[in-house]
Amino acid sequence: MQSSMQSHALLISSVLVHAARHHADGEIVSRSEEGALHRSTWAATERRARRLARVLAGLGVGAGDRVGTLAWNTHRHLEIYYAAPGMGAICHTINPRLAADDIAYIVNHAGDGVLFVDPGFAALVEAIAPAIAGTVRAVVFLADAARLPAVSLPAGMAVHAYEGLMAAADEDFAWPLLQETAASALCYTSGTTGRPKGVLYSHRSTVLHGYAINMADVMGLSARSRVLPVVPMFHVNAWGIPYAAAMAGAALVLPGRQLDGPSLHALMNEARVTMACGVPTVWLGLLAHLRASGGRLETVKTIMTGGSACPPLLIEAFGAEFGISMEQGWGMTEMSPVGTYNKPKPAHAALDAAGALRLGLKQGRILCGLDMKIVDGEGRELPWDGKAFGDLKVRGPWVTGAYYGDPAGSALDAEGWFATGDVATIDPDGFMEITDRSKDVIKSGGEWISSIVLENLAVSHPDVAEAAVVAAAHPKWDERPVLLVVPRPGRALDPASVLAVYEGKVARWWVPDAVVVLDELPHTATGKLQKNALRARFREHLIHK
Ligand code: ADP
């Protein structure tokens, strides 16, 4: 029997209209390419998004067309976030940190007819222009005419200034009633092997994900929040924050391209930020700056970290030295991205500091609406005892079923589960903890060793700036861990003192067989350690010794 309830579509435009109507003065603070702080509101953003929808139509963009962006977090990027899906097109955010060749591949694969580009990426666009000339017919620089960069692009590729197009358009546009399952945004995973693969989100998946991350035990934004996504808008929709902020009516603070410690510190205080979200590397940079300068964060209550494991130092230092609660989330491009979030349950109130830290290092509990399990090599489900490691699988309405261009359901197993590629434990309270990417796990004598646990301990050494643990081939044990460390500037590292951090903390057989001191470690475009390159380089390290 059908219900008697209305079946209103869950649409991204409705989210913006809600924010404009009920939080008209809610602020959008943005550091633009020009450098100055730009202050706007949700009401003005909705009006500008309607104007932009007219601009898009004028550029020949129609329903289902992909609109590419190469841009930092700014108010103009936010306008595209809403205007493109709002009018029925698809906002395709491109990671400008990828190799130029990968960017050209992505633009062509997605079929982006129009690109919206920060002037700072003009040289990048010029470099890839010949490779994308068959796909892109217009490049719109996110600036006014006075700041239009001088670029030479192939004939047939028009160049526009964003503000010029906006000034020439009007706001006479009504958001169309779309199907909620229509595609709204496209994001490519920056795979460490092979070509990037696209994930195509829908209005429905985006709105449901927004509701879910706004629950009190997740990011829990409110009309009183002032949220700073340091995570770029080209990285899985800035973790959904541009949408969730509008749903809650929260103020949104957009940092532009200045993501270093001093810039973030100044912005957080000037824009009265209450919550900031980003990857651990960013928080390590901010912490180093605060410690060196003696600076304080006047309004920040919560820092959320995700994207890679949170070093214990961050939780300890921000808590003890700044009174800021460090919260961890886990997810991936294929999950919109948030899958789990770590907030304690009532029973955890009694934990001592060490116990609370131990809990905080876990990736957290699954969001309502999603389902997770861990399985062994044969696909048998493993117990939630906090000890058994297995491949982590997920399913739910904001998890992808296939990669862009592939047949529906092709990324799933027979029961509809998506294999995350992460290896994890789940404890009896439902807290999931990642122990590795499945390809990074070290198998010594048939037993698994967690590279993440060993890396976290290594960076607790005062002279270690960064650490990676990789599997090296071993004649007896098959694989053994090798620890690669980068010293802090001006410090020398003694391998024996580094290995001492493991004493009493892990089983003896987990302790790495060798320590190699390096000047730097390679990173992917999203700032994660490039383990495959390191594995290849150190594969034979224990054989030739
Ligand atoms: P994200 O935006 O979350 O970085 P990606 O798709 O680029 O999305 O990468 C997803 C992968 O990042 C996950 O499968 C996992 O291996 C890793 N990851 C994300 N969050 C965490 C976390 N909190 N702790 C450990 N690893 C994480």
Side-chain angles (χ1 to χ4, degrees):
M1 188 190 285
Q2 283 293 310
S3 81
S4 65
M5 305 313 288
Q6 300 183 13
S7 56
H8 264 273
L10 301 172
L11 295 181
I12 288 172
S13 56
S14 318
V15 167
L16 184 60
V17 167
H18 171 87
R21 210 175 270 157
H22 302 282
H23 306 280
D25 296 337
E27 250 196 312
I28 312 296
V29 183
S30 161
R31 196 176 283 291
S32 58
E33 276 270 329
E34 293 89 329
L37 271 198
H38 176 278
R39 288 180 189 266
S40 177
T41 62
W42 281 116
T45 300
E46 195 271 338
R47 279 197 304 275
R48 295 250 306 171
R50 269 189 279 132
R51 188 178 280 267
L52 179 55
R54 296 278 283 173
V55 168
L56 286 169
L59 291 170
V61 173
D65 288 347
R66 277 76 63 210
V67 173
T69 67
L70 274 166
W72 296 106
N73 298 9
T74 67
H75 65 287
R76 295 183 180 115
H77 204 177
L78 183 70
E79 290 159 8
I80 306 167
Y81 252 57
Y82 280 100
M87 71 173 301
I90 295 162
C91 176
H92 171 210
T93 53
I94 305 163
N95 185 343
R97 293 170 176 157
L98 292 173
D101 179 48
D102 272 341
I103 296 179
Y105 166 85
I106 287 174
V107 169
N108 289 329
H109 190 262
D112 297 324
V114 179
L115 284 183
F116 285 81
V117 181
D118 276 345
F121 297 126
L124 170 63
V125 168
E126 227 170 0
I128 63 170
I132 59 174
T135 305
V136 176
R137 59 178 185 278
V139 175
V140 182
F141 283 104
L142 294 164
D144 52 29
R147 286 191 179 74
L148 196 61
V151 281
S152 97
L153 297 178
M157 215 186 268
V159 176
H160 302 280
Y162 184 83
E163 294 302 340
L165 294 176
M166 291 290 272
D170 61 44
E171 296 158 4
D172 185 13
F173 183 83
W175 299 112
L177 206 57
L178 307 166
Q179 288 199 345
E180 64 178 18
T181 49
S184 61
L186 177 62
C187 188
Y188 281 71
T189 61
S190 39
T192 43
T193 51
R195 286 295 200 180
K197 291 178 281 187
V199 177
L200 191 57
Y201 310 102
S202 68
H203 287 257
R204 174 184 155 83
S205 69
T206 304
V207 174
L208 289 175
H209 177 263
Y211 280 121
I213 65 174
N214 266 343
M215 288 181 70
D217 268 0
V218 192
M219 292 185 202
L221 298 178
S222 82
R224 296 165 305 287
S225 306
R226 297 180 65 83
V227 63
L228 167 70
V230 181
V231 51
M233 289 168 76
F234 55 74
H235 190 174
V236 220
N237 303 317
W239 296 346
I241 295 162
Y243 303 116
M247 293 171 88
L252 189 59
V253 181
L254 302 169
R257 66 186 150 80
Q258 284 130 305
L259 309 181
D260 57 286
S263 303
L264 289 177
H265 175 212
L267 179 64
M268 285 168 150
N269 285 344
E270 192 173 348
R272 317 301 291 163
V273 167
T274 61
M275 179 177 196
C277 310
V279 295
T281 322
V282 162
W283 305 131
L284 289 168
L286 177 65
L287 178 65
H289 163 73
L290 292 175
R291 281 177 165 176
S293 66
R296 306 299 301 170
L297 295 175
E298 293 160 11
T299 49
V300 177
K301 297 189 183 71
T302 310
I303 292 182
M304 185 232 158
T305 181
S308 55
C310 176
L313 163 79
L314 283 181
I315 299 181
E316 287 174 322
F318 275 107
E321 295 168 36
F322 300 93
I324 290 172
S325 139
M326 193 92 203
E327 293 177 353
Q328 181 166 195
W330 163 86
M332 56 199 310
T333 306
E334 291 86 339
M335 301 182 72
S336 302
V338 186
T340 65
Y341 202 87
N342 189 331
K343 287 252 181 99
K345 282 182 164 179
H348 299 127
L351 286 177
D352 61 9
L357 174 63
R358 188 68 208 87
L359 182 76
L361 293 174
K362 300 190 177 199
Q363 277 65 28
R365 294 183 270 130
I366 195 89
L367 271 52
C368 179
L370 300 179
D371 205 1
M372 70 174 170
K373 67 175 180 180
I374 42 173
V375 297
D376 67 13
E378 275 76 56
R380 284 182 302 244
E381 195 162 350
L382 292 167
W384 291 22
D385 58 9
K387 294 191 187 81
F389 299 17
D391 291 313
L392 179 65
K393 294 191 163 193
V394 293
R395 61 182 178 192
W398 57 90
V399 181
T400 200
Y403 290 101
Y404 180 59
D406 290 353
S410 56
L412 308 178
D413 68 15
E415 279 98 48
W417 291 91
F418 176 83
T420 63
D422 286 321
V423 175
T425 61
I426 305 177
D427 73 17
D429 291 310
F431 284 70
M432 184 274 286
E433 181 166 22
I434 305 252
T435 52
D436 256 307
R437 292 293 291 166
S438 50
K439 57 188 183 303
D440 295 340
V441 83
I442 300 157
K443 289 205 185 87
S444 174
E447 298 287 343
W448 285 2
I449 296 175
S450 161
S451 64
I452 292 183
V453 168
L454 297 180
E455 286 160 7
N456 277 344
L457 285 166
V459 294
S460 71
H461 187 287
D463 295 337
V464 171
E466 201 177 15
V469 174
V470 293
H474 190 278
K476 179 167 179 200
W477 301 109
D478 194 20
E479 288 180 350
R480 289 292 302 154
V482 169
L483 171 62
L484 314 170
V485 281
V486 178
R488 285 194 186 284
R491 303 295 177 92
L493 275 178
D494 160 32
S497 92
V498 179
L499 289 180
V501 300
Y502 296 117
E503 265 164 43
K505 299 268 173 51
V506 296
R508 292 270 288 272
W509 61 275
W510 275 41
V511 177
D513 280 21
V515 180
V516 183
V517 180
L518 298 171
D519 291 339
E520 59 177 1
L521 295 172
H523 292 91
T524 66
T526 48
K528 296 179 197 195
L529 280 172
Q530 217 165 10
K531 287 277 190 80
N532 54 347
L534 291 171
R535 253 197 312 274
R537 187 166 152 204
F538 291 95
R539 187 76 206 153
E540 306 293 313
H541 188 76
L542 300 174
I543 309 265
H544 295 308
K545 282 186 89 180

